[in-house]
Amino acid sequence: MTHVDARGDACPLPVVKAKRAISELKGAGQVEILVDNEIVVQNLTKMAQQKGYQYSAEKLVEGEYRVLFTIGEAPAAEETPAVCMPDARTDTVVAIGANTMGAGAEELGKTLLKAFVFALTQQDKLPKTVLFYNGGASLTCEGSPMLEDLKTLESEGVEIMTCGTCLNYYGLTEKLAVGSVTNMYAIVEKLTHAGNVVKP
């Protein structure tokens, strides 16, 4: 059995840790995840339902829960035909126009947006492009709390594009640290040709 301690971890880290532990099983086995709140339990059980895993969840003590995944046998290697991996990107464009996510508390909004970008890096299907404009332009520059995650996306083939007018307006032109500079024509083109547009 593999044990994962995700107590104290903020969303989406417990789910990410669970997925990683399951992938490392390379076959049948069990993964036990310890977490500290019911929302995380719900997120984990929802993932198990989507993937078809057997699971159980129990409250151990106040503020501590145990989720157990039971994973069935993986197909034998010889039964799995060798195929080329498809492009991991979709025709989705993510448009980020602020340095916070949602309306309300600013610090919470920043925390949510950082978690959103990290969660993007963990998706099976990545977006084709992530656009940054207006207040979002600072997120691709030196000192951004999500630079490493954006560089990870870029290394996987995701286009990271920041509005040049916005960088200039905020005095950030020389501080761009990931991706490339773009213009409004290209932004409109990316958005109108996208199969799906996500605005966190």
Side-chain angles (χ1 to χ4, degrees):
M1 181 186 295
T2 301
H3 302 276
V4 176
D5 189 348
R7 291 172 294 185
D9 291 338
C11 173
L13 202 51
V15 172
V16 172
K17 283 184 173 181
K19 287 176 69 175
R20 189 176 299 143
I22 290 167
S23 69
E24 289 172 357
L25 286 177
K26 302 187 187 308
Q30 291 186 310
V31 175
E32 177 193 66
I33 309 104
L34 296 178
V35 298
D36 58 11
N37 68 81
E38 290 186 20
I39 298 299
V40 178
V41 173
Q42 292 173 23
N43 289 338
L44 289 167
T45 56
K46 188 176 295 183
M47 182 192 85
Q49 291 166 0
Q50 291 170 346
K51 299 288 187 180
Y53 303 144
Q54 293 181 23
Y55 66 91
S56 63
E58 62 177 319
K59 183 175 182 178
L60 301 176
V61 294
E62 191 62 40
E64 186 170 315
Y65 302 81
R66 173 181 182 263
V67 180
L68 182 66
F69 290 162
T70 302
I71 315 302
E73 286 286 352
E78 60 271 19
E79 297 174 5
T80 306
V83 294
C84 294
M85 290 297 291
D87 190 340
R89 298 175 304 160
T90 64
D91 61 352
T92 295
V93 172
V94 178
I96 298 178
N99 64 353
T100 64
M101 183 176 181
E106 183 177 353
E107 282 307 309
L108 174 60
K110 289 179 178 180
T111 300
L112 293 176
L113 189 55
K114 185 177 187 305
F116 173 86
V117 172
F118 173 71
L120 268 185
T121 69
Q122 303 300 312
Q123 300 303 302
D124 294 330
K125 291 288 187 179
L126 301 175
K128 185 175 184 181
T129 306
V130 184
L131 299 172
F132 292 88
Y133 51 86
N134 208 331
S138 65
L139 300 174
T140 55
C141 296
E142 296 170 8
S144 166
M146 56 187 70
L147 266 187
E148 289 309 310
D149 291 330
L150 293 176
K151 287 178 180 178
T152 296
L153 288 171
E154 187 176 44
S155 72
E156 294 290 335
V158 178
E159 294 177 306
I160 307 294
M161 307 176 78
T162 306
C163 165
T165 302
C166 306
L167 288 169
N168 185 57
Y169 180 87
Y170 290 112
L172 297 169
T173 305
E174 303 301 320
K175 295 187 176 181
L176 186 68
V178 62
S180 60
V181 177
T182 190
N183 56 62
M184 189 52 66
Y185 181 87
I187 289 173
V188 170
E189 194 173 49
K190 292 289 183 184
L191 292 173
T192 56
H193 286 79
N196 188 34
V197 175
V198 175
K199 292 185 177 182

